[in-house]
Amino acid sequence: MSRLARTLALAPIVALSLAGCVPNTTATGSGSAAALTVAMTDTTCQVSAHEAESGTTSFTISNTGTDVNEFEILADDKLRIVGEKENVTPGQTVTMVQQLQPGTYYTACKFRLVGDPIDLTEFTVTGEEVAASSDQEALDAAAVLYLSYVKSQVDELVPAVTTFVNAYIDGDTAKAKSLFSAARVSYERVEPTAEQFGDLDPKIDYRKPGADAEGLDWTGFHRIEADLWFDEAGKNYPDGSIKKLSSAERKTVGTQLITDVTDLSSKVNATDFTLSISDITNGAVGLLDEVAAPDGKLSGEEDEFSHTDLSDFYANVEGADVAYGTVRDIALSKGTEGKELVDELDTQFAAMKKLLSTYGSYADGFDSYDTVSQDKRNALAAQLNALSEPLSKLAHTVLELPTAN
Amino acid sequence: MDATHEPEEPDPHEPGRARLSRRGLLGLLGAGVGGVAVGAGGTLAAGAIVNGAASPGTDSRTYPFYGFHQAGITTAAQDRLHFAAFDMTSTATRDDLIELLQDWSFAANRLMQGLEVAESGAGGPLLLPPEDTGEAVGLPASSMTLTFGFGPTLFRDATGTDRFGIAARQPADLTALPGFKGDLIDATISGGDLCIQACADDPQVAVHAIRNLTRIAFGRAQIRWSQLGFGRTSSTSTSQATPRNLFGFKDGTANIKSEDQAAVDAYVWAGAKAQGTWMAGGSYLVVRKIRMTLETWDRANLAEQQNVTGRDKAEGAPLSGGTEFTDPDFSATDAATGLPKIPQDSHVFLAHSRQNNSVQILRRGYNYVDGNNEIGQLDAGLFFLSYQSTPANFVAIQRRLAESDAMNEYIRHISSAVFAMPPAPASASEFVGSGLFA
């Protein structure tokens, strides 16, 4: 695949006003600095144009709504945050200066900074690639944007888990089952971040053997999964060690999960929480390791009762792809070796997603993993290896190789 | 014949390096331009752990990777084996296959010299996974040979598809083996598009080679099945003592020996049909994993064990008399009973070349023990490897054995594969099997 066939991300020169820095407006782009406006209300998000020349674009954002709002520019995967302006208060007008490379993006607002994006709209940038900023600026900006992405994911996690848990507590087994894999998607995209908080991942996502081995109460997603797919639980643990939960116990376990993911969200959103470039590149590798682990998705152990492993698998790959996308431009600036690595990773991420897509999608659901033959699992494993090997070189390329344009 | 070589420092400017792929050896290529390996005149990269060139007094013997015949066929059989069969991935192209064979050849040449898989070795930058996995650092070459082969499915897959544009060049001799009476073949440990036979006198060295070659293949080929063997069951040179298989009998007494040039030429190297083709100087490998029911065998009395084998257990002499290397006399009869001294359903009687139109095969098998099964039996036997000028020679002998060998009571063939083993690349400007793509 041609490097240019894939959407290019920003050259992250923008010192976001998140951190209160003065935007670096001295960067030169290929086109004249365009000035666009963004009109945000509680329910709408109108950008004055849907395309721009590459280079520096300024967005003048006015909030005429009733509460705090946020403007975002997302990459073509609609996940990775390329630029954002948070905490635009009612009546306020602020300016966000953004350097954009040619490619496809999406603009949207986030009312009260959470929930589904409002007026998610394609935004096209044309023209020539613009020069990258200095190494350190690029690294700093990438880390800030990745943190924004992680925050957006944990922010989505809380309502998704709440809806799922409520159905479960209400005893609506069919509905809860249908929501189980969707409730996990955001978590699976950013799991290495959750794992930084030692006690949270065990509570949220431990499988029974892990909890037993460490003498913990078994709680979280998989405790509820075992209860929802209780026949499978009996098959996998014929010693009867998994008991059907009573209504009161359902409420306890369910409420605990909401509490734990809310706790995760608070910790990630804390002002002193930061992520380094190493966290990002190691996190990408870690997400794929989660898939390949003996008790991971490839073996079908992760979701051993619901067999929804392929949904988790896809989310892990998406998470790794976003992390990679965050530093992709930096890798591209590292001479021949960097360009070859980017070529290879672009190809392998696309091939991995394409192969997984033959099994379904979030919208239509993925095939139950117990119906996937060993041959097909081997093909998934082969593609995962093909992706994981070059990904293991990303940290070195981004952090250790000299910039050589 | 393979000669003993001193390890050589590879010349980074050899023309063969010009087409190394970006994968696998990415780190090696580094800042190189046009495929020339790391700069600074080919000195080792900073931070590399350097494998000592074979230290004196240890198993420092090396065999050359380049030549006419591949090493690892008539080479004196080493003590240990790691064999692996690979399938090309579903997305792999002809270019991927060629690049893989180039990368494997580059790595094999280094590994057989006792070097790490690439110059950057098992060290390097702190944020980069080392190119070499490291477990053979400090170990000598240990007589390792790496021998590569192509299965029938590389030319035409199960649906008959010519994935790599080579179907027209599939040798007529290279077809999947037929079924034999009594076969209990497990497809998941059979066949394969490609194979690598790693033999060495140190198992860690052989395992290191397969592990690193597997890693290089990621994205292009994946391991399909593999097997460790811990004791050679054949001698392939008159300088070697005949080893014993897990039945406790000497095995391979009448094997082709590399010193017997006439037999090697007639029965090991691909025959007249291969002349002028990419298989000239190659051979055909048959792989059969033969499970031995050792518990049953160990309860058979000595006379039964010897009659099944056709040799005496202590000396290895044929039951017709003499010593180990005495020619069996199939006409000798027992004076008292009038029955043949070498029973006509014995393994030696049925397999001997004189009973098979003089046809011989070069056996190069290994004992294996894969732990035990769930009912407490050793999961063990013979990992049979044989090289022959055509697989048809093996098939003819195996048909006889499958039909009447008394040993069948104690064995089951549980896997099966056949591979065309191309000639060795002549120099670094070629790669193993390059003639197939010429």
Side-chain angles (χ1 to χ4, degrees), chain A residues 273-310:
Chain A
F273 181 69
T274 59
L275 287 169
S276 68
I277 293 293
S278 296
D279 291 332
I280 298 172
T281 54
N282 293 340
V285 171
L287 280 162
L288 299 190
D289 290 349
E290 295 268 345
V291 180
D295 50 0
K297 287 82 182 178
L298 268 180
S299 64
E301 292 293 327
E302 174 81 27
D303 299 306
E304 59 173 322
F305 313 116
S306 63
H307 307 299
T308 55
D309 305 86
L310 285 169

Side-chain angles (χ1 to χ4, degrees), chain B residues 22-113:
Chain B
R22 64 191 181 285
R23 276 172 293 203
L25 300 167
L26 193 62
L28 168 83
L29 280 171
V33 175
V36 176
V38 186
T43 54
L44 290 158
I49 302 174
V50 182
N51 219 357
S55 33
T58 57
D59 184 3
S60 59
R61 175 190 292 257
T62 63
Y63 292 103
F65 176 67
Y66 298 111
F68 181 51
H69 301 301
Q70 283 199 73
I73 301 175
T74 58
T75 308
Q78 303 91 328
D79 287 334
R80 313 292 184 141
L81 168 80
H82 192 177
F83 180 89
F86 296 80
D87 282 338
M88 296 299 290
T89 59
S90 57
T91 54
T93 63
R94 179 184 168 100
D95 284 347
D96 287 330
L97 174 58
I98 290 170
E99 280 185 356
L100 173 61
L101 294 172
Q102 287 171 331
D103 288 353
W104 271 356
S105 296
F106 173 84
N109 179 48
R110 290 184 58 90
L111 292 167
M112 282 172 58
Q113 295 175 64

Side-chain angles (χ1 to χ4, degrees), chain B residues 354-428:
Chain B
R354 272 191 282 125
Q355 305 294 332
N356 287 282
N357 302 315
S358 301
V359 167
Q360 290 178 270
I361 56 178
L362 175 72
R363 283 166 285 157
R364 218 176 185 286
Y366 288 82
N367 296 319
Y368 76 85
V369 175
D370 295 346
N372 57 275
N373 67 15
E374 62 280 2
I375 54 170
Q377 299 170 323
L378 278 182
D379 185 353
L382 170 64
F383 192 68
F384 174 94
L385 300 165
S386 72
Y387 286 88
Q388 46 271 306
S389 56
T390 166
N393 289 349
F394 167 82
V395 170
I397 297 169
Q398 182 56 24
R399 282 231 166 89
R400 283 166 57 83
L401 291 171
E403 200 57 45
S404 0
D405 190 356
M407 197 175 276
N408 291 339
E409 189 180 337
Y410 304 99
I411 61 174
R412 295 290 182 278
H413 287 230
I414 57 174
S415 88
S416 179
V418 62
F419 299 94
M421 312 300 280
S427 69

Side-chain angles (χ1 to χ4, degrees), chain B residues 313-334:
Chain B
K313 193 166 188 176
E315 171 69 17
L319 294 181
S320 52
T323 58
E324 182 191 348
F325 291 101
T326 304
D327 218 20
D329 178 359
F330 295 118
S331 63
T333 53
D334 185 87

Side-chain angles (χ1 to χ4, degrees), chain A residues 248-268:
Chain A
E249 288 166 328
R250 284 207 305 273
K251 186 161 188 190
T252 304
V253 170
T255 307
Q256 182 67 47
L257 179 57
I258 295 174
T259 302
D260 291 334
V261 296
T262 305
D263 189 15
L264 173 64
S265 178
S266 310
K267 286 184 158 130
V268 168

Side-chain angles (χ1 to χ4, degrees), chain B residues 231-408:
Chain B
R232 67 184 170 89
T233 61
S234 289
S235 49
T236 55
S237 166
T238 53
S239 65
Q240 292 183 295
T242 310
R244 290 176 187 268
N245 63 27
L246 291 183
F247 282 156
F249 278 73
K250 288 185 179 175
D251 199 339
T253 298
N255 203 18
I256 295 178
K257 302 295 193 291
S258 57
E259 291 82 359
D260 184 352
Q261 195 62 48
V264 168
D265 286 342
Y267 297 113
V268 177
W269 306 124
K273 278 182 287 184
Q275 292 314 307
T277 77
W278 63 271
M279 268 297 281
S283 183
Y284 291 92
L285 170 64
V286 165
V287 184
R288 306 281 287 185
K289 185 172 179 177
I290 303 171
R291 169 88 193 276
M292 293 171 162
T293 51
L294 294 177
E295 292 78 5
T296 316
W297 175 262
D298 294 344
R299 285 190 283 269
N301 65 43
L302 182 59
E304 158 82 355
Q305 292 186 8
Q306 296 191 151
N307 283 332
V308 163
T309 307
R311 293 186 181 274
D312 96 287
K313 193 166 188 176
E315 171 69 17
L319 294 181
S320 52
T323 58
E324 182 191 348
F325 291 101
T326 304
D327 218 20
D329 178 359
F330 295 118
S331 63
T333 53
D334 185 87
T337 63
L339 294 171
K341 285 188 171 176
I342 300 176
Q344 298 198 345
D345 62 354
S346 70
H347 193 72
V348 161
F349 180 90
L350 291 164
H352 198 275
S353 63
R354 272 191 282 125
Q355 305 294 332
N356 287 282
N357 302 315
S358 301
V359 167
Q360 290 178 270
I361 56 178
L362 175 72
R363 283 166 285 157
R364 218 176 185 286
Y366 288 82
N367 296 319
Y368 76 85
V369 175
D370 295 346
N372 57 275
N373 67 15
E374 62 280 2
I375 54 170
Q377 299 170 323
L378 278 182
D379 185 353
L382 170 64
F383 192 68
F384 174 94
L385 300 165
S386 72
Y387 286 88
Q388 46 271 306
S389 56
T390 166
N393 289 349
F394 167 82
V395 170
I397 297 169
Q398 182 56 24
R399 282 231 166 89
R400 283 166 57 83
L401 291 171
E403 200 57 45
S404 0
D405 190 356
M407 197 175 276
N408 291 339

Side-chain angles (χ1 to χ4, degrees), chain A residues 337 340-341 344 348 378-379 381-383 385-386 389 392-393 395-396 399-400, chain B residues 22-24 26-27 30-31 89 91 125-129 131 215 218-219 222:
Chain A
E337 195 171 335
E340 286 183 355
L341 182 64
E344 182 67 10
Q348 298 301 346
N378 290 350
Q383 182 55 50
N385 278 328
E389 278 290 320
S392 72
K393 302 179 197 294
H396 165 68
L399 291 171
E400 288 184 333
Chain B
R22 64 191 181 285
R23 276 172 293 203
L26 193 62
T89 59
T91 54
L126 287 176
L127 291 182
L128 190 65
E131 204 83 59
R215 187 172 172 220
F218 283 141
Q222 62 177 326

